Structure formats: structure tokens, C-alpha cells
Amino acid sequence: MMSLRKGLLWFPWMVGVFALSILARSSAMARSTAQPNPQQVGEQEQALEQEDVTSVGPADLVSNDGTYRVHWTHPDGELEFGERFKMIVSVERSDGEPLQSQLSVDSRMPEHGHGMKREVRIVELEPGRYEVSGMLFHMPGYWEIYFDLTRGAVTERTQVSVDLY
Amino acid sequence: MILPLLFLVCFGPLQEPEPTQREPLGRHLRQLENLPQASGLAMDDEGRVWALERNSGRLWRIEPEGQRTLLNGELGRPTDVERGANGELFVTDAESSCVLRLDAAGKILARKAVTGSQLSGLAWTPERIYVTLASSHRVQVLDADGEPLFSFGSHGSDPGQMIAPSDVAVAQNGTIFVADSGNSRVQAFDKQGKFLHEFGDWGPFPGLFFQPSGIEVRGEEVYVADFGNHRVQVFDLKGNLVDRFGLHAIRPREGKGYIHYPTSLSLSPSGEFAAVAEPWVDRVQVFCRTGGVAEDAVRRQAMQLAKPSAHYGMDFACDGKFLFISEPESHSVVVFENSGDDPRRISRLGGLGRKTGLLTGVGGLHYDASKHELWVADPILRRISLYRMPGIEQAEVGFDALLPRFVKSVDLAKLHELELKRWLPTVPEVIAIEKDAAGRLYLLDAANACVIVLAPELESIESIGRGTLQRPTSLAVAADGQTLYVADAGGHVWAFHGAKRQPESIAQGFTPHGLALDEERQFLFATDPVQHRIWRFGLADKETISWGGPGLARNQFYKPRGITLDHRGQLVVLDHGNHRLVRMTVDGDYLATAGPRLYTRLLRYPHLTDKEGAQEEGE
């Protein structure tokens, strides 16, 4: 027969086992209540698939104050992180006046507060048409590409969003 | 024979006298209170301090026991002081752009004009005098008689260039060290002003700076007052970090070795004492090597691990349901949704950088709620930038970094080159922006002491106030653009009326900083950071009232700066020294407060009376 002293030694173990069984049971109940129906699962997977697709903003852009129209393409194919790419950028003024503006290009991740690690090279192919090389997104996520046009003392921005996955 | 030789070899070095290692500087010795806008400092080896008051033009000599002697009370706007030979003193006066030579009793012996603007720092050697010119972004070297020899530096961030240099010091070997405040670094030059090397960069970590403000060299050590990091850092002549002292004050006006926004720094000739000026709290603290009180080691460790805390800057804008406040630590503007009692942080814009859309400094904000447009002035990069916000309904949910969108910027150096240089001698340094109903922009230019008006197409139209304004700090513009009001720290609030912009002094006898005009043009409100008060001028009935006083209670302020009226017609005051916003009626009745510090939240407990609140917050 187990002595009282030995019984007292077993007591904490029994309490622990009881607590663990309660925990396991409540966790199983929580899982069972959180089980979505098959239709919900389908929708979630679809949403996840959509989020994982790189999405690139439109090719035809208007500058943030409406002064310029910018058309851009990336002829090397789909944009991917860690891959250098080039862009062909065409610029014209919305009011039809001669351009007389200087283009600079940059890209940033505004939610992370940083930009690209590299400087880009811009070559004017013909008046208002440029080749921009050396672009590289060094990590996946939300990027913005900036086409800044400077005329006199004023620089105006045109921008496009890239969700890169 | 061998034994004595062996003895000498083994024990000889022990008999050599070891060089005495001095205790590091940084033990708190005493503090000198009630020195309004304490700026330049000098010290001697007995522990005497010579201290300037920038706004009142006073020069004090303060004995170690605390007795004060007013040496001169008419020094214009003195910025720095150095002791020369035979007890003579040299003072830079930014008002007259002169270097003054004074005898030991404070009498002016000579006055030498320096070409350039905003004399900020001074170094004296028996052969030469060195002066930093903050708005001219260079160092002027004079001979011992104050005659110009040469200058070096230009605006920019390349080696040898500088932005708003704040002070200069010279080592025994002739190397010139410049506190390059706008670039948050120290640059070293040879005797001829040729660039040698630089150290530091922007940041809170050891060895980095947030606008170095004062600099001294003693022996092989360079001491740098690090304004925004609230400390003094010590480097060797090559720029290697050796030591630091001073910790960021936690409680308002804490002192006792904890420093807040140090500007000027002076060491005694032997380097035994250091004095640090804190104009933010109108105080000078004296540090020593032995005696005094050491830093609390536990708190030092805790604060070194803490991330830098954000402060409200001096500039803010409020219109509609958005509120924008500059945040110096992040070089950004924080966006708040302001429809309720408690402004809610919803986004930020800018961030440190020279690229388009980023900010290095924030010198003025204006928000136009009808167009959702925010103009931000950056006096360091010398440009103004426009950002656009979405409607308030789109900004209802949580924090979103993508809310503001950069639209365009104006490069003021380029605008000066193309248009403004016909009227204005130097590139504008914009510290405040306003806009009228017709879309004209009014830029308050500290460098040329005037207001520049730009058409909506951003072409310059006119400049206002040149010759009248001395040290403008802010402006308010009537919606029709017919009258504009300018606060001038020279002691006036000016009104410029009509097409001829006729000047009229509508208030004087105090030091205004921020201005706000109500829509009906009944009242003009001004903040007074010297008396810690708010002034209300009746534009129709000419009645003037004021309220406030120094402190933390509901109707008290500490160096209030910005002021505006919100969409409810209530006054919002940026109580800068207390790191908080205070909302009140136009009659000065307290309504609410908001801010990042815990003590501002105590004010919300309605059961506390002002006195109880003040006691609780103060303790």
C-alpha cells in the first residue's frame, strides 16, 4: 500500500497530466470550431494564389500633377526580384508643348523606407524616348517606380506600382 | 655581475614614471539656470564661465560660486565667444555680421565686419580668427587684427562642402575642425583650408551625429556637442571615438548631467572643465573630470539600449481633419487624423535622403484641405515639395505608409539662378509656407529676411519685407492675399498691406515665433517662446490679451512654437518644450492635450486641478 508521503509526491504529476489533457482538449475544440467549409478553403487558396502573382501597374501613366504623359515597357519579360531589367520610357507633355525636361528614374519600397541598391543608367534614344538600364529589385514586396521629370526649377513625379512575388 | 643586470632588465621598467592617465571628462559639477537662449560659451581653468544670451545680446561672466557680472548688454545677436590673450574676448554677432573684440571688462575695442551671413561659431588662435557662416555655408579665416585672409567651403555634401556649419575649432598642429551641422559630420581641413578627412554621419549610435552644434579641441581630443542626440562625444584627431558624456534628459528640464539639445560647448584651456549650453532650457551645465557627480551607470546602460525617442519638431500644419507634424529624428512629417479629441497617427512622408521626395530638414508646412495638398519646406536641401493626401474617408483605417504621394518639388537654388537673383542676393532658405485662395505661395525666406511670392505656376512674382524684417520666424496670410503678417524675432509682428505691401508694426516688445489668423480676420494669435505665452491681437477692436507662463499644467507652455486654428475653429498650439499639442478655445480656455510623452496623458485626467496636475507631472 502506498504511503501518504509517496501519494503526496505523485500529486503534482497527476495535476500536471490533468492540466495537459484539458489543454489538449480545448485546443482540439478550438481547431474544430475554426475549420472552414470546403468553399471557404477554395476561396482562400484562390486569394493566396492571386496575392502570389506579381502585378505591375499600367503602361500608360499621367504624372502626379498632370503635366506629363509617360509610357513605359520592360522588354526583357516579367519583372522578378534579383533580376536586372531595362525599361523603355516615352515621355510627352500633356499640353502638347515641347518636352524640354530631364528624366531621372528611381524606385523605392515606401513601406520599408528604402530604395534600390543601384543607380540606373538613362540613354536618350530619340527626343522623349529613353532606355533605362540597371534596374534591380533586390527583394520581393511592394515597389514604386518613379519617373521624375525636371524642367527649370520644378521636378514632377510620375509613378507606377509593382507588387513583386 | 649578471645578477644586477638581470635585476635591471626585470625591474627597470617598473621604476620609470608612468604617464598619468587623466580621468575622462563628464562628471556633472553644477548648472547655471536662467540664461535665456544661452548660446556661446567660454571657460577658464578656475571654472569661470562666460555665457552669451543670444536674444538679449548679453554677455555674462559667472564665477564658480555663482556670482554673475554683466559684461555687456548690447551685443546685437551674439552667437559665440572665445577668450583671447590678456583676458580679451572675441564675440561673433550675427545681427551686424561682425567679429567684436572686447576687453576683459566687456568694453568693445574693435568691430570687424565679415562678408557672409549668419555668423555661428568662432575659434581664436594668436595668429588667426576662424568664423563659421551658417547661411553662407563656409568658414572665413581672418588674421589676428580681424582682416580677411581666405575662406573655404560651399553649400553641399561632398568632401570640403558643408551645410549650415555651426562651429569651428583648431588643433595645436593647425588642423581646422568644422561642425558640419547640416551634413551631421565633422570635417578636418589643413591650415590653408584644404580638406583632409571627415568623420561621423547622421544617426543615433556612438560616433554618429544628429546635427553637431559645438566643437572644441584640447590636446589630442576633439569634443563635439551632438545637438539631436543630447550628448557630447569625444574623438581623437583622426576621428576615432574615444568617449562620450551626457544622457538624454527624460523629465522636462531635468539637468544634473542629463542634457537636452546642447548647442554650444567650451572647454577650459587645460581641459579640466567643460560647459555645455542648452538654450532649449535656458541653462548651462558644467562638467569636470574629478569631483562632481558621475552618470548613473544603470540609467546609462538602459538608455544606450533604448531606441531613439521621437520628438515633435517645431513645425506643424492643420486643416480639415488632418494634422501634420515634423519629426526631426526620422526626417519625416507625421500625419495624424484629427477629427476626434485625440489625433491618431495614420501615416508619414519624407524620410532622410537627398533624392526627390525625401527630406533632410523640415522648415515649414502648409496644408490646403480643399485640394488635399501639403507643401513642405526643406531649408537644408533648399527646396519645397508638394505631397497629396487622399480624402479623409480613405484614411480611416489604421496606419498606411502609402497615403501621401509626392507630387513635385521646386529647387530653390535653381529658381534663384533662373529668376530670384535679380532681387535676392542669396539662395532662399524657406522656413515657413502659406498659400492664399488664389493659389499663390508665400515663402518666408530666412536667408534674405523677406517673403517670396510664387504664382500658382511656381513662377516668382515679388519679394516682400526686405529691409524691414530682421529675423522672421513665421507668417500668416489673409485668404485674399491682400494682407500678410510676419512674426519677427527682432521683436515685432509686422503687417504688410495692399498692393504696395505697406509695412505696419502691429505688436512689439516680445519675441514672437508662430502666427495664426482666424478666417474672419478678427484675431491674430502669436506664440512667445521667451515668455512661454500665447498672445491674441484683436485686429478690429485692437484689444490684446495673453495667457500662459512657463510650466506643464493645462494653461502653461514651455517654448510654444507653432500655432494654428483647426476645422472646429479651436486653437492648436505646438508646445514644443513640453513635447505636446494643446488644444484650446480662442479665449485661451484649455480643451485637450496630446503627445508622445506619458506626462502629457496625465493632463487628461479630469479630476486633477491645474495645481495637482502640475505637481504630478512635474514630479
Side-chain angles (χ1 to χ4, degrees), chain A residues 61 64 70 87 89 103-111 114-116 120 122 132 135 137 142-149 156-161, chain B residues 355-358 401-402 404-406:
Chain A
L61 308 165
N64 291 348
V70 174
M87 300 186 294
V89 181
L103 174 73
S104 62
V105 177
D106 195 14
S107 186
R108 280 183 76 76
M109 298 188 88
E111 289 161 322
H114 66 72
M116 288 192 303
V120 299
I122 301 174
V132 181
M135 297 283 293
F137 298 133
Y142 176 78
W143 288 83
E144 289 177 348
I145 303 174
Y146 303 136
F147 306 98
D148 292 333
L149 287 145
E156 186 173 322
R157 174 159 293 172
T158 310
Q159 65 188 74
V160 64
S161 304
Chain B
K355 289 183 172 178
T356 307
L358 303 180
L402 305 180
R405 174 173 282 202
F406 171 79

Side-chain angles (χ1 to χ4, degrees), chain A residues 77-112:
Chain A
E78 191 176 341
L79 301 182
E80 290 181 26
F81 75 88
E83 296 284 334
R84 270 189 283 182
F85 66 98
K86 72 168 74 154
M87 300 186 294
I88 303 295
V89 181
S90 304
V91 184
E92 60 182 13
R93 284 181 64 92
S94 302
D95 59 10
E97 280 191 23
L99 184 62
Q100 294 175 333
S101 299
Q102 193 183 343
L103 174 73
S104 62
V105 177
D106 195 14
S107 186
R108 280 183 76 76
M109 298 188 88
E111 289 161 322
H112 292 218

Side-chain angles (χ1 to χ4, degrees), chain B residues 177 186 197-200 207 222 234-242:
Chain B
F177 290 89
V186 170
H197 62 94
E198 62 178 90
F199 54 92
V222 183
V234 189
F235 300 84
D236 66 18
L237 295 180
K238 290 178 179 168
N240 300 308
L241 183 68
V242 175

Side-chain angles (χ1 to χ4, degrees), chain B residues 169-215:
Chain B
V170 183
Q172 279 176 339
N173 65 6
T175 304
I176 306 162
F177 290 89
V178 178
D180 183 3
S181 183
N183 289 313
S184 286
R185 66 182 176 185
V186 170
Q187 295 195 73
F189 299 85
D190 71 8
K191 289 176 187 171
Q192 282 73 45
K194 187 181 161 202
F195 173 80
L196 295 175
H197 62 94
E198 62 178 90
F199 54 92
D201 197 345
W202 181 85
F205 301 113
L208 302 178
F209 301 111
F210 185 164
Q211 296 177 353
S213 48
I215 191 164

